[in-house]
Amino acid sequence: MRRNPVVPYALIALLGILAVIVISVIGLDQREQIHQAEEGEQTEEGGESSEGESSEGETSDDPEAIFESNCSSCHGADLSGGAGPDLTQVGSRLSEEEIHDVIINGRGSMPAGMATEQEAEVLAAWLAEKK
């Protein structure tokens, strides 16, 4: 009597389907644990991160940290420009009030609202010194 050649393939398929179901259930549990761990880390930090960047809802008084987090991607880490203009001597071209206005309202390809009002004041004062 000959054995049915489909039976081993059916068993392999069944084991594969069961393995996928088991791994999915385990993955869902791990996903919830990761999410809970991330929430715990955020509450343990209690405000600012180790690099001085401010967390959501808080503003920093360090103009360099604000610039690094909001502006350096376009203006370059050294203020030399890139997608945005060179800011190394922006204080000689614009007053502090004009710089503040640009930060809040944008200009050209720069979008408005890149920083909060407090951050804009700190940045404007810092950039106005760049002459």
Side-chain angles (χ1 to χ4, degrees):
M1 189 170 209
R2 291 182 103 183
R3 294 184 179 193
N4 189 347
V6 178
V7 172
Y9 294 111
L11 288 175
I12 292 171
L14 183 61
L15 287 174
I17 291 170
L18 287 174
V20 167
I21 292 170
V22 168
I23 291 172
S24 296
V25 170
I26 292 171
L28 287 174
D29 186 46
Q30 288 177 345
R31 183 172 150 192
E32 290 173 8
Q33 290 174 354
I34 291 169
H35 182 68
Q36 290 173 353
E38 286 175 352
E39 286 179 355
E41 287 175 7
Q42 289 175 357
T43 57
E44 287 175 6
E45 287 176 2
E48 293 188 8
S49 66
S50 60
E51 294 179 8
E53 294 177 3
S54 59
S55 61
E56 256 184 73
E58 294 184 13
T59 57
S60 172
D61 291 333
D62 181 16
E64 292 179 13
I66 297 169
F67 181 85
E68 182 66 33
S69 65
N70 296 337
C71 313
S72 65
S73 61
C74 293
H75 295 285
D78 60 352
L79 304 169
S80 64
D86 181 354
L87 299 178
T88 55
Q89 297 179 348
V90 70
S92 63
R93 295 188 311 262
L94 300 173
S95 69
E96 184 176 335
E97 292 79 26
E98 291 171 323
I99 295 170
H100 182 270
D101 183 59
V102 171
I103 294 169
I104 294 297
N105 300 317
R107 177 189 271 179
S109 62
M110 179 178 165
M114 291 299 294
T116 66
E117 184 69 32
Q118 278 183 310
E119 290 174 336
E121 290 174 11
V122 172
L123 277 173
W126 181 63
L127 290 170
E129 296 172 1
K130 307 289 181 191
K131 297 183 181 188

